[in-house]
């Protein structure tokens, strides 16, 4: 059973940075840049037995607009439905319920985000 939390103090910044810098969309992002993006967004950590296995970040005004970014589940944990659970938690997050405009820019996993 996974836990999904918006508690930023639980986030493992080094793990997030390490994963993101290997992606096509965040290659070269510094750890300070990752920290700053986390500080300024609503973030979701995905945990299995206290170990972080996934992440998603929402840039939002909490009223109208929400931009889904930096979504991942570590490769060794994929195929178990965790990304679907993460997306469900994001769209059901009480703080985002008034947001009518959602944005996502991606080159992959289109089925997940439908």
């Amino acid at each position: 059973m996974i836990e999904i939390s918006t508690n930023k103090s639980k986030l493992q910044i080094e793990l997030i940075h390490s994963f993101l810098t290997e992606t096509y969309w965040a290659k070269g992002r510094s750890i300070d840049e990752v920290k700053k993006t986390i500080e300024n967004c609503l973030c979701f950590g995905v945990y299995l037995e206290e170990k972080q296995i996934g992440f998603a970040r929402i840039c939002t005004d909490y009223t109208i607009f929400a931009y889904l970014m930096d979504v991942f589940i570590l490769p060794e944990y994929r195929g178990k439905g965790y990304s679907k659970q993460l997306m469900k938690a994001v769209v059901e997050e009480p703080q985002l319920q008034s947001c009518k405009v959602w944005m996502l820019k991606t080159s992959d996993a289109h089925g997940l985000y439908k």
Side-chain angles (χ1 to χ4, degrees):
M1 173 74 100
I2 63 168
E3 175 192 358
I4 299 172
S5 173
T6 58
N7 180 348
K8 290 182 185 178
S9 70
K10 293 184 66 157
L11 293 172
Q12 298 168 9
I13 307 296
E14 294 78 15
L15 176 131
I16 296 166
H17 175 255
S18 175
F19 182 87
L20 288 178
T21 57
E22 298 301 316
T23 65
Y24 68 87
W25 72 86
K27 193 170 275 313
R29 199 178 288 174
S30 74
I31 194 154
D32 287 335
E33 289 171 325
V34 169
K35 287 177 184 175
K36 191 172 184 178
T37 63
I38 288 170
E39 288 168 11
N40 291 292
C41 291
L42 175 63
C43 298
F44 294 77
V46 183
Y47 306 92
L48 183 62
E49 299 171 359
E50 302 299 315
K51 178 184 189 311
Q52 186 169 355
I53 64 164
F55 178 75
R57 180 168 72 86
I58 310 292
C59 182
T60 184
D61 62 8
Y62 295 96
T63 307
I64 306 295
F65 179 77
Y67 183 2
L68 177 62
M69 308 169 85
D70 294 344
V71 180
F72 70 85
I73 298 293
L74 293 175
E76 60 267 33
Y77 297 97
R78 293 179 187 164
K80 296 174 172 48
Y82 299 150
S83 61
K84 289 179 183 66
Q85 291 177 59
L86 172 57
M87 292 312 305
K88 184 177 189 305
V90 168
V91 299
E92 292 179 355
E93 171 58 40
Q95 298 178 81
L96 301 174
Q97 291 312 295
S98 70
C99 294
K100 302 295 184 239
V101 178
W102 283 76
M103 192 168 122
L104 168 69
K105 184 178 175 186
T106 185
S107 295
D108 55 12
H110 295 101
L112 170 65
Y113 300 115
K114 268 192 171 167

